[in-house]
Amino acid sequence: VTREFGSSTGIRFVIQSDCKDPMYLESRIEFFLASVLQRLEAMTADEFDSHVAAVVNRQTAKKRKMMDESNVY
């Protein structure tokens, strides 16, 4: 889930488990964030621009089916 706060955008993880404790779940989130940062830092500018363009294309593409339009909500 993403949230906008003025000019900043944040991200929130909502994770629940009936078999793992909160500390374990938090450690997995921290590991995930560190691995994403590592991947981003390893990307070339061209690779990053390619990913940005793909997201922009997906977000601005005209929906072809009514179900695609309703899935936004």
Side-chain angles (χ1 to χ4, degrees):
V1 175
T2 60
R3 302 274 185 220
E4 288 189 30
F5 303 100
S7 62
S8 300
T9 301
I11 188 166
R12 175 176 47 169
F13 296 94
V14 179
I15 299 172
Q16 298 175 327
S17 175
D18 59 355
C19 59
K20 298 292 184 180
D21 64 272
M23 294 301 290
Y24 174 80
L25 298 176
E26 184 175 358
S27 73
R28 297 305 300 158
I29 292 169
E30 293 296 328
F31 177 79
F32 168 76
L33 292 174
S35 67
V36 169
L37 178 60
Q38 192 174 36
R39 254 181 105 178
L40 286 171
E41 290 175 338
M43 273 187 200
T44 65
D46 288 340
E47 287 174 313
F48 183 79
D49 290 342
S50 176
H51 283 281
V52 169
V55 171
V56 168
N57 287 339
R58 183 173 37 183
Q59 294 297 321
T60 58
K62 183 174 171 129
K63 307 297 186 230
R64 292 185 274 172
K65 299 178 185 172
M66 188 177 289
M67 183 178 281
D68 294 337
E69 290 183 29
S70 67
N71 283 340
V72 172
Y73 306 103

